Amino acid sequence: MDTTAPLCVLCDHPASIIDTDRGNRRYVACSNSLCGDYEISRRAVAEVADQPHRKAALKAQVVCANMQSMVLEIVVNAAGEIEASSSKRE
Ligand SMILES: [Zn+2]
């Protein structure tokens, strides 16, 4: 068992994770068919860590965005709230 494999922030399945935005964000490509590809800021990773309900809701948004060939971007806004918006895949 490869214990070094990175895990999806939202569902803990094995995922491939690439640092983007000079390491401030991560692009996650999750292996779970009920999850998917999304981008999340480091701050948002910490913010959702102890919020299972929020993670489940975001996962559903990821699936929805991917179905439309979009990628969900999850960030923490100026008010300190988690904000998710989808944008066209590059
Ligand atoms: Zn996942």
Side-chain angles (χ1 to χ4, degrees):
M1 188 181 154
D2 184 3
T3 53
T4 62
L7 297 177
C8 173
V9 177
L10 300 178
C11 73
D12 294 331
H13 276 65
S16 87
I17 299 180
I18 308 163
D19 276 351
T20 55
D21 190 20
R22 297 196 189 97
N24 288 322
R25 292 185 183 206
R26 291 171 183 178
Y27 188 93
V28 181
C30 180
S31 64
N32 183 358
S33 59
L34 297 174
C35 191
D37 290 15
Y38 59 94
E39 195 167 42
I40 186 165
S41 73
R42 283 199 180 277
R43 224 181 130 194
V45 169
E47 199 67 30
V48 298
D50 56 353
Q51 297 191 51
H53 295 296
R54 183 51 74 81
K55 283 198 242 187
L58 287 168
K59 202 174 73 171
Q61 283 184 263
V62 166
V63 172
C64 193
N66 285 176
M67 281 193 307
Q68 302 168 65
S69 296
M70 312 263 268
V71 172
L72 196 72
E73 291 173 23
I74 306 162
V75 298
V76 175
N77 67 19
E81 293 160 346
I82 295 166
E83 204 171 68
S85 59
S86 30
S87 64
K88 275 277 175 207
R89 204 189 289 266
E90 282 165 30

